[in-house]
């Protein structure tokens, strides 16, 4: 079996069953949520001969004490519908009057142990318990409830076509057991005759969700670190290239003209001087002629 990491165990918060029973509202809400989830998830199976999953809710009076009517209606509805999903629900309590009549009417199989009636309230509880059974002409159900011995019970189950059977008085078989550990030979024989013999002989340590998530987180950190290193290397390369360009001496262009450029410049200067002198003579000559 896989061991849960210490960190996961430390972060897990669970409410023990005895603590849950001290909070009736929370207990009833949990029951309703559990049955509702099963009703939504499990497939429809109709009316199977045996339920695939059975829940036993002990101290059932804690579920219904001071419970609001809306919650009782919802519990009644879920208990009625969840049977078609192959789920059986048993409420265990010392007194049948602890269970609301609307919920009690949905319970098909009944097992009633002895009730002692010394007060008017207890006598009423005996009558209520007797009336929930289909009468048996062989005996009085109300009297039998007060006369049951240890290990005896009144039992009524569903017969064919969903009809409740007549109540019967029966002995409850005690569980078979042994005080002390079994021998290696007995253990080996039980393992070999088990319906799942051979299926769990090989230990398989599959990869857990914790390991998968841890590996993904580590891979993400490594990818992020690699990206940061690449960005830093590129930044350093750009800085080095910039510094290298700044330190290189600038190439100065020579201002001395070539012979061809000097000849062209001299010719242009001579032409400009000649044109300038001609313009001056023309202007002065025009002014002289006007003066005459």
């Amino acid at each position: 079996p896989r061991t849960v990491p210490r960190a996961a165990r430390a972060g897990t918060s669970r409410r023990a069953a005895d603590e849950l029973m001290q909070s009736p509202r929370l207990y009833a809400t949990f029951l309703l949520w559990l049955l509702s989830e099963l009703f939504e998830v499990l497939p429809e199976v109709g009316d199977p001969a045996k339920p695939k999953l059975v829940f036993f809710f002990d101290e059932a009076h804690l579920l219904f004490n001071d419970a609001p009517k809306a919650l009782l209606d919802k519990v009644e509805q879920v208990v009625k519908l969840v049977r078609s999903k192959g789920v059986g629900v048993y409420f265990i309590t010392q007194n049948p009057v602890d269970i609301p009549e609307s919920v009690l009417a949905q319970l098909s199989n009944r097992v009633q142990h002895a009730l002692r009636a010394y007060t008017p309230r207890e006598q009423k509880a005996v009558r209520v318990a007797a009336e929930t059974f289909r009468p048996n002409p062989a005996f009085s159900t109300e009297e039998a409830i007060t006369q049951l011995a240890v290990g005896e019970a009144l039992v009524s189950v569903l017969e064919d076509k969903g009809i409740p059977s007549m109540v019967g008085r029966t002995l409850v078989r005690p569980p078979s057991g042994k005080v002390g550990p079994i021998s290696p030979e007995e253990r080996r024989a039980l393992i070999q005759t088990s319906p799942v013999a051979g299926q769990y002989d090989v230990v398989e340590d599959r990869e857990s969700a914790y390991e998968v998530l841890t590996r993904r987180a580590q891979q993400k950190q490594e990818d992020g670190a690699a990206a940061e290193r690449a960005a830093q290397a590129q930044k350093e390369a750009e800085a080095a290239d910039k510094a290298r360009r700044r330190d290189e001496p600038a190439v100065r262009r020579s201002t001395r003209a070539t012979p061809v450029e000097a000849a062209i410049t001299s010719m242009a200067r001579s032409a400009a001087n000649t044109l300038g002198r001609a313009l001056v003579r023309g202007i002065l000559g025009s002014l002289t002629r006007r003066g005459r």
Side-chain angles (χ1 to χ4, degrees):
R2 187 179 303 279
T3 302
V4 180
R6 180 175 300 177
R9 293 199 303 268
T12 303
S13 176
R14 297 184 302 174
R15 179 177 289 271
D18 54 350
E19 296 179 359
L20 184 63
M21 293 175 63
Q22 300 302 323
S23 303
R25 293 289 182 89
L26 181 59
Y27 190 22
T29 304
F30 169 74
L31 166 64
L32 178 60
W33 170 83
L34 179 62
L35 296 179
S36 300
E37 285 293 314
L38 291 174
F39 180 76
E40 294 294 335
V41 174
L42 295 179
E44 190 79 23
V45 296
D47 188 14
K50 294 182 180 180
K52 298 182 178 180
L53 184 64
V54 178
F55 286 93
F56 294 87
F57 294 97
D58 199 4
E59 302 296 342
H61 62 278
L62 296 176
L63 295 173
F64 306 107
N65 285 348
D66 300 327
K69 187 177 184 303
L71 181 59
L72 294 179
D73 294 341
K74 193 64 178 178
V75 171
E76 175 189 354
Q77 179 185 13
V78 173
V79 171
K80 181 189 302 183
L81 298 178
V82 80
R83 289 184 297 182
S84 63
K85 303 289 186 173
V87 178
V89 179
Y90 286 83
F91 295 104
I92 304 173
T93 183
Q94 296 179 357
N95 199 325
V97 298
D98 295 334
I99 301 177
E101 293 183 0
S102 58
V103 178
L104 194 63
Q106 304 301 324
L107 306 180
S108 304
N109 301 325
R110 304 171 188 271
V111 179
Q112 177 67 58
H113 291 280
L115 289 177
R116 304 299 179 232
Y118 300 106
T119 65
R121 184 177 184 277
E122 292 174 345
Q123 294 174 1
K124 179 181 178 181
V126 171
R127 288 194 299 270
V128 171
E131 292 172 356
T132 59
F133 289 98
R134 180 182 172 185
N136 189 335
F139 60 89
S140 171
T141 305
E142 185 175 346
E143 293 179 359
I145 290 178
T146 60
Q147 298 172 358
L148 293 173
V150 177
E152 284 188 303
L154 297 180
V155 179
S156 176
V157 297
L158 286 182
E159 294 180 341
D160 296 339
K161 299 181 180 180
I163 301 175
S165 64
M166 289 189 299
V167 61
R169 186 169 179 173
T170 182
L171 290 173
V172 179
R173 179 182 176 181
S176 301
K178 177 181 179 180
V179 178
I182 61 176
S183 64
E185 292 76 13
E186 292 174 332
R187 183 184 301 275
R188 191 178 305 108
L190 290 174
I191 293 176
Q192 292 176 354
T193 57
S194 172
V196 294
Q199 297 185 15
Y200 301 97
D201 294 345
V202 180
V203 178
E204 295 185 8
D205 187 11
R206 293 188 177 91
E207 190 175 25
S208 65
Y210 173 79
E211 293 172 341
V212 172
L213 295 177
T214 301
R215 187 180 66 253
R216 290 181 181 177
Q218 293 176 351
Q219 184 64 36
K220 187 175 181 180
Q221 291 179 355
E222 293 175 359
D223 294 343
E228 291 180 0
R229 289 194 297 268
Q232 183 65 24
Q234 183 178 1
K235 186 176 180 180
E236 292 176 356
E238 293 177 354
D241 184 65
K242 185 176 181 180
R244 180 179 56 79
R245 293 181 180 180
R246 185 177 62 250
D247 296 339
E248 288 181 353
V251 179
R252 299 182 62 184
R253 186 175 180 180
S254 176
T255 57
R256 181 177 298 177
T258 62
V260 176
E261 292 175 346
I264 294 174
T265 302
S266 178
M267 291 175 61
R269 186 179 296 114
S270 177
N273 292 335
T274 302
L275 180 60
R277 287 194 296 270
L279 290 174
V280 171
R281 284 197 300 268
I283 293 172
L284 293 177
S286 177
L287 292 176
T288 303
R289 286 193 296 272
R290 288 181 181 179
R292 291 179 181 177

